[in-house]
Amino acid sequence: MSVLTKKFTEPDELGFFGEFGGAFIPELLRANVEELDAAFRTFRQDETFLNEYRELLKHYVGRPTPLYFSEKLSAQHGARIYLKREDLNHTGAHKINNAVGQVLLAKRMGKTNIIAETGAGQHGVATATVCALLGMNCTVYMGEIDMKRQAPNVQRMRFLGAEVVAATSGSKTLKDATNEAIRHWINHPDAYYLIGSVVGPHPYPAMVAEFQAIISQEIKIQLQELEGRNTPDTVIACVGGGSNAAGAFYEFYDEENVELIAVEASGLGVHSGHTAATSAIGSPGVLHGSMTLLMQDEFGQVTEPYSISAGLDYPGIGPLHAHAIQTGRAKAIPVTDQESLDAAMHLTRTEGIIPALESAHALAALNKMTFTKDQIVVVNLSGRGDKDLNTYFERFEL
Ligand SMILES: *Cc1c(COP(=O)(O)O)cnc(C)c1O
């Protein structure tokens, strides 16, 4: 994967994409992060490692996922609209692509203990799943409140053999779980800390993007087969931290004719005070170890984010996305709770596919765009909606 000219997705030596990225970490973590960086530099070029990763994606995760032509959406919007079916992966979303890559890497580094934090539990479930498969000990930190809200995922993780530890400080949600996981890592430098999105200190953002790049690598091959060309005109993906978007955009960042649309959750509205539309109202600052765009008040305190969708309920975005949006390479579109709910219902009733609420945000962006008849549009369907059925029933009063 080495390249001669610097790719958009390749950070500089210090882990910066333009002005965003880097590794803003306590001195106590410096050695851990450098060890990880060295290992990743080695194994990203190691054919045996890469083959093991690709084999597991194929035979365990179920890849390649289909690129499905939606006749209904295409007719409705006057374009050629495809859905990249990440919802069909084992465990129901794209997150397992990254979990497979990082647990394999941890194994190569001689690690036996994996720690992770999770908000809604999707990343925790993916991590616990791969740890069960590869015989690793797994500890997942989760906010006490999130554990109550997401009880089925807590049960899944425990049944898979993971230890789920409640974070009881602060607001008892994702941010506090992250703090606890980092504290554990400082005290147990032999553990492997598995981050679930393109966030955190270098090398995590670049590494997670690379483990998700399989999404766009498959899109290229599939479009060649279906359309006789290997680039779409437009790729649309939702952005929480931004890992499914980074994977869906990865191969196209350097193809300047491909339009990249990053969909953010605007909750009750961009300026409602109840939003997670980071690039719309955020500003540069340090969050979870990297310089990025984040929602903060005038004193630099991180603002509590809000979205109906747990996976998009995050006050920042990964540094690669901050860079892409700031330079105009990607365009951000905000989508509200209600717009995503309506898009979820629409896809369910027209295509028989129940999307995750996160993915429904990407679908809703179609309604805010204009297309030409031959325009090839790929919407990344990051996950399935089983986990959101309660919300759908409540909100539609079914
Ligand atoms: C976690 C999650 C997301 C948001 O995470 P990203 O890192 O932004 O991709 C989106 N969709 C689904 C289905 C998820 O589980």
Side-chain angles (χ1 to χ4, degrees):
M1 285 190 214
S2 65
V3 282
L4 295 175
T5 50
K6 192 172 155 315
K7 295 200 295 177
F8 195 92
T9 47
E10 197 75 32
D12 69 16
E13 274 299 301
L14 295 173
F16 281 88
F17 306 92
E19 66 180 82
F20 301 111
F24 297 80
I25 49 174
E27 216 33 55
L28 284 166
L29 286 178
R30 189 72 53 192
N32 300 27
V33 169
E34 280 170 7
E35 180 196 15
L36 173 63
D37 191 33
F40 179 57
R41 278 173 202 267
T42 302
F43 288 108
R44 70 192 287 234
Q45 313 197 48
D46 180 314
E47 274 309 313
T48 319
F49 173 82
L50 293 174
N51 281 337
E52 208 176 334
Y53 165 70
R54 290 184 197 120
E55 288 293 301
L56 277 181
L57 290 189
K58 181 172 176 190
H59 299 292
Y60 184 72
V61 174
R63 305 202 69 94
T65 59
L67 184 67
Y68 172 71
F69 180 72
S70 168
E71 279 184 26
K72 312 277 176 45
L73 290 177
S74 296
Q76 183 191 344
H77 293 282
R80 299 187 60 73
I81 299 179
Y82 287 90
L83 304 177
K84 182 58 174 160
R85 300 288 309 276
E86 292 301 297
D87 59 311
L88 294 177
N89 286 321
H90 181 39
T91 68
H94 65 290
K95 288 205 172 72
I96 195 148
N97 302 327
N98 168 56
V100 166
Q102 287 199 59
V103 176
L104 280 177
L105 181 65
K107 250 197 135 125
R108 292 301 177 105
M109 293 170 71
K111 308 280 186 186
T112 52
N113 296 313
I114 303 286
I115 54 173
E117 84 272 324
T118 196
Q122 297 300 108
H123 170 55
V125 169
T127 302
T129 297
V130 183
C131 285
L133 172 72
L134 297 176
M136 302 287 248
N137 300 318
C138 181
T139 308
V140 179
Y141 288 88
M142 192 168 183
E144 196 173 36
I145 290 184
D146 288 337
M147 284 179 70
K148 292 211 180 83
R149 287 195 290 210
Q150 311 288 339
N153 275 342
V154 175
Q155 288 178 325
R156 275 186 196 105
M157 289 184 270
R158 288 188 167 146
F159 198 49
L160 285 159
E163 187 186 347
V164 183
V165 180
T168 54
S169 60
S171 56
K172 302 182 176 59
T173 58
L174 178 59
K175 145 175 90 54
D176 314 288
T178 307
N179 291 339
E180 300 274 321
I182 289 175
R183 201 166 304 142
H184 181 107
W185 202 26
I186 290 175
N187 293 326
H188 303 84
D190 55 312
Y192 183 98
Y193 181 27
L194 205 162
I195 295 184
S197 190
V198 286
V199 300
H202 178 68
Y204 285 102
M207 178 171 70
V208 175
E210 207 161 303
F211 284 137
Q212 293 290 359
I214 184 75
I215 300 172
S216 51
Q217 288 158 3
E218 287 177 5
I219 291 173
K220 280 178 83 168
I221 296 168
Q222 291 167 322
L223 275 183
Q224 186 66 48
E225 213 168 274
L226 295 160
E227 293 280 351
R229 52 181 267 203
N230 68 6
T231 53
D233 295 299
T234 304
V235 186
I236 305 174
C238 65
V239 173
S243 67
N244 86 88
F249 296 169
Y250 199 90
E251 291 289 320
F252 307 120
Y253 278 109
D254 294 310
E255 304 275 352
E256 279 173 17
N257 293 328
V258 181
E259 181 184 34
L260 306 176
I261 304 292
V263 183
E264 295 187 317
S266 60
L268 302 185
V270 170
H271 300 291
S272 65
H274 301 276
T275 185
T278 301
S279 81
I281 64 162
S283 53
V286 171
L287 181 67
H288 296 150
S290 65
M291 174 64 69
T292 192
L293 289 175
L294 63 119
M295 305 194 319
Q296 52 190 328
D297 64 19
E298 69 219 86
F299 306 108
Q301 290 294 323
V302 176
T303 317
E304 199 64 41
Y306 166 78
S307 165
I308 191 172
S309 141
L312 304 183
D313 195 354
Y314 183 69
I317 50 173
L320 174 61
H321 293 298
H323 177 53
I325 291 169
Q326 198 196 45
T327 57
R329 180 62 195 95
K331 184 180 166 204
I333 293 186
V335 162
T336 65
D337 287 359
Q338 191 58 49
E339 289 163 344
S340 73
L341 286 163
D342 293 340
M345 172 71 104
H346 184 65
L347 189 77
T348 300
R349 296 286 168 94
T350 56
E351 291 284 6
I353 298 172
I354 304 176
L357 263 168
E358 292 83 1
S359 320
H361 282 74
L363 290 164
L366 290 169
N367 300 324
K368 306 186 163 208
M369 300 171 66
T370 53
F371 303 100
T372 56
K373 167 166 91 32
D374 296 324
Q375 190 170 341
I376 298 174
V377 179
V378 175
V379 181
N380 199 39
L381 211 67
S382 54
R384 69 175 80 121
D386 307 30
K387 67 182 180 60
D388 299 311
L389 272 180
N390 279 342
T391 308
Y392 293 148
F393 267 72
E394 264 169 40
R395 293 297 295 260
F396 289 112
E397 297 176 8
L398 296 171

